[in-house]
Amino acid sequence: MAATRNSTLDDPFYQPADEFFPANSKIGLTFDDITLATLYSEILPRDTQLDTQLADNLHLHIPVISADMDTVTESRMAIAMALNGGLGLIHYNMPERQQLSEVSRVKNHVHGLIQEPIKVSPEQLIGDVLALIEQKKFGFSTFPVVDGKGRLVGLLSGHVVKPRYAGKKVSEALTPRTQVHTIKKKELGRDPIARADKFFTEHIGIHKLLVVDDDDHLHGLITMSDVERITQERKAQFKPARDAHFHLICGAALSTTRNAFGELDRERILNHVSALVERGVNVVAVSTAHGYSKGVGDTVSVLRDAFPKLPIIAGNVTSAAGVEYLADCGANAIKVGQGPGSICTTRIVAGVGIPQMTALYVCSRAAAKKKVSLLADGGITKSGDIVKALTLSQAVICGGIFAGCNEAPGEVVEISGKLYKQYRGMGSLAAMKAGSAARYGHEKNPAQKVAPEGVEALKEACGSVDRVLAQLIGGIQSGMGYLGTANLTQLYDKARYIRVSPAGQREAAPHDVVELKTGN
Ligand code: XMP
């Protein structure tokens, strides 16, 4: 006789979304208010697939997006997210021209190619180079040597960068151009790492390959150690998120830009998005605090008419009506979240917003009807929250979790021996002055009376995005293993929920112990 896999005895307690949320319709629930019940499983966490389709031509290998915030996502973060299979949305608190360059940096990123290597000139003294290494704390001592026009004239090897040669000129110590191994940029092809790997195997003892153009201008440097690290990483389960041309994918956020008369500046929006599309942007996000509004709807409609195939994200909303409205305007993916963010004060200041799990459920019904995706935006502090969010959405957007990473904009500051990075709400006074006021329906003019809807804060520095994502992904995969779900579609179908009492919430975290090491 086959072993029992499901029992009706569980049904009154652990309910699927369509029973659980309507039964709790009088209260707003968020992540910690609920927990997911385990189910019979034949799935090991490591075998779970996290691929997600946000629009016809927008596919991620992991359902995680870094927020369009000025202390979270610029090109470095977007590159790291895409390399891990996710997506970064470049914020818009910068001049339009700069946003274009940030997108270009992501689209032109060649993994393993140091695009702007530190160079030295033939006239410098070895002593100057030593001082530079000391001052900048470089962990390497081999440098390409270029002339005033950026043309390669040789390579200064680490074994001659010694104090005994301090008085000698770089030109006397360098390996001359004729003996330096180079490759033309156009010869790198679609897979520069495989090309460089082959080169290093064929050239015993050579550890550096310089990339040049037809006129011998230096365009980059590939090192054998980077190639070996990346080749190793490629065995990882989650591949980088790339477009059809093998470029990393990248998103850019937009606001509902207005002209001097307060009308939507259609021309300016269209010009900017045309330029973004020219640079290869894969998705734009019309990103405001109140997405169920004419300004956002009109912006989405204008873009949909002008760019029929461009994936568009729009938000934020917390109602089915909001989802239907933005879907009808032409959005493919809709951001859900008003006030859950770690730096948000919208609920306190404006008295509006809905706890995130209830908002996601309500929105998910409309999303299913309109065939659009949902992005759970804000309030995520741990991988378990992501698992819960993914039972009702196609991906999550995180700000705070990534703001302490090396790849987030901003400097590390030391306070009482601990390292931190700045993290601020896009509705904080400082961010609004820097440009994001439109997102909250305010004027940028600081003389104007504005009500900030976000705080300025610090996040503890937490290392690389790779490390943070590895932990989050591990947690998501564990959750899927407990629910016996091999992919995200099964997660939406199989999840069953129950509310948690305050004592249950305390029970869920480490308790009655002296913690020596935190779980992260
Ligand atoms: P987490 O919790 O990941 O939230 O830090 C990031 C999300 O919060 C939103 N956001 C804000 N919401 N006031 C708000 O009410 C703000 O100043 C603010 N700044 C960002 C945004 O949706 C982001 O993705």
Side-chain angles (χ1 to χ4, degrees), residues 121-420:
S121 84
E123 299 311 314
Q124 273 178 289
L125 294 176
I126 300 286
D128 299 336
V129 178
L130 283 163
L132 183 74
I133 295 173
E134 172 66 23
Q135 186 202 345
K136 301 271 182 187
K137 307 261 173 296
F138 290 144
F140 53 88
S141 54
T142 297
F143 300 88
V145 186
V146 294
D147 65 16
K149 294 192 170 139
R151 274 189 303 247
L152 186 65
V153 291
L155 187 70
L156 186 68
S157 282
H159 67 262
V160 297
V161 184
K162 303 270 183 235
R164 74 171 67 244
Y165 307 126
K168 302 229 180 276
K169 277 190 170 180
V170 167
S171 55
E172 295 174 72
L174 56 74
T175 307
R177 170 69 187 92
T178 46
Q179 290 169 32
V180 176
H181 291 274
T182 59
I183 184 166
K184 294 264 170 67
K185 198 170 179 208
K186 58 189 178 204
E187 287 165 16
L188 283 174
R190 272 169 69 90
D191 193 347
I193 293 300
R195 181 72 191 79
D197 197 30
K198 185 163 172 278
F199 169 88
F200 289 126
T201 308
E202 286 166 357
H203 296 78
I204 299 174
I206 303 299
H207 293 184
K208 304 246 177 334
L209 177 60
L210 297 173
V211 182
V212 292
D213 63 16
D214 288 338
D215 297 323
D216 228 20
H217 291 113
L218 183 68
H219 281 271
L221 164 70
I222 301 179
T223 71
M224 189 160 83
S225 53
D226 279 353
V227 167
E228 286 177 349
R229 181 177 52 78
I230 293 162
T231 314
Q232 201 56 32
E233 279 166 16
R234 280 194 175 171
K235 296 185 188 122
Q237 194 180 359
F238 301 104
K239 305 275 174 263
R242 296 190 189 277
D243 62 20
H245 307 287
F246 213 67
H247 293 139
L248 294 179
I249 64 164
C250 178
L254 309 171
S255 82
T256 51
T257 311
R258 293 183 182 274
N259 61 22
F261 308 106
E263 299 154 349
L264 201 64
D265 196 338
R266 291 179 159 74
E267 199 184 330
R268 184 162 159 195
I269 294 171
L270 282 174
N271 286 342
H272 182 52
V273 175
S274 300
L276 284 168
V277 168
E278 245 168 60
R279 310 268 172 141
V281 83
N282 301 93
V283 55
V284 293
V286 184
S287 201
T288 70
H290 187 17
Y292 187 20
S293 58
K294 183 164 163 48
V296 176
D298 286 352
T299 306
V300 173
S301 304
V302 165
L303 293 176
R304 178 48 70 230
D305 286 347
F307 307 96
K309 295 215 165 112
L310 177 68
I312 301 176
I313 296 172
N316 283 21
V317 301
T318 45
S319 66
V323 172
E324 290 184 7
Y325 172 68
L326 291 178
D328 288 343
C329 292
N332 305 94
I334 294 169
K335 294 210 280 164
V336 177
Q338 280 164 332
S342 55
I343 33 51
C344 300
T345 53
T346 295
R347 292 190 198 157
I348 298 164
V349 171
V352 300
I354 304 292
Q356 196 64 338
M357 284 303 286
T358 295
L360 284 171
Y361 176 73
V362 173
C363 291
S364 70
R365 303 302 93 186
K369 192 166 114 195
K370 292 287 180 183
K371 300 202 172 9
V372 290
S373 343
L374 287 191
L375 309 177
D377 181 11
I380 283 165
T381 57
K382 46 201 180 303
S383 52
D385 299 343
I386 304 184
V387 179
K388 293 172 192 175
L390 289 175
T391 63
L392 297 168
S393 64
Q394 282 63 45
V396 296
I397 300 185
C398 301
I401 275 187
F402 297 125
C405 291
N406 304 338
E407 293 84 348
E411 301 296 319
V412 172
V413 291
E414 189 179 333
I415 302 173
S416 308
K418 274 197 163 181
L419 301 178
Y420 298 90

Side-chain angles (χ1 to χ4, degrees), residues 28 104 299 304 310 330 400 467 483 499 512:
S104 290
T299 306
R304 178 48 70 230
L310 177 68
R467 191 178 145 268
L483 267 66
R499 278 184 66 184
D512 299 303

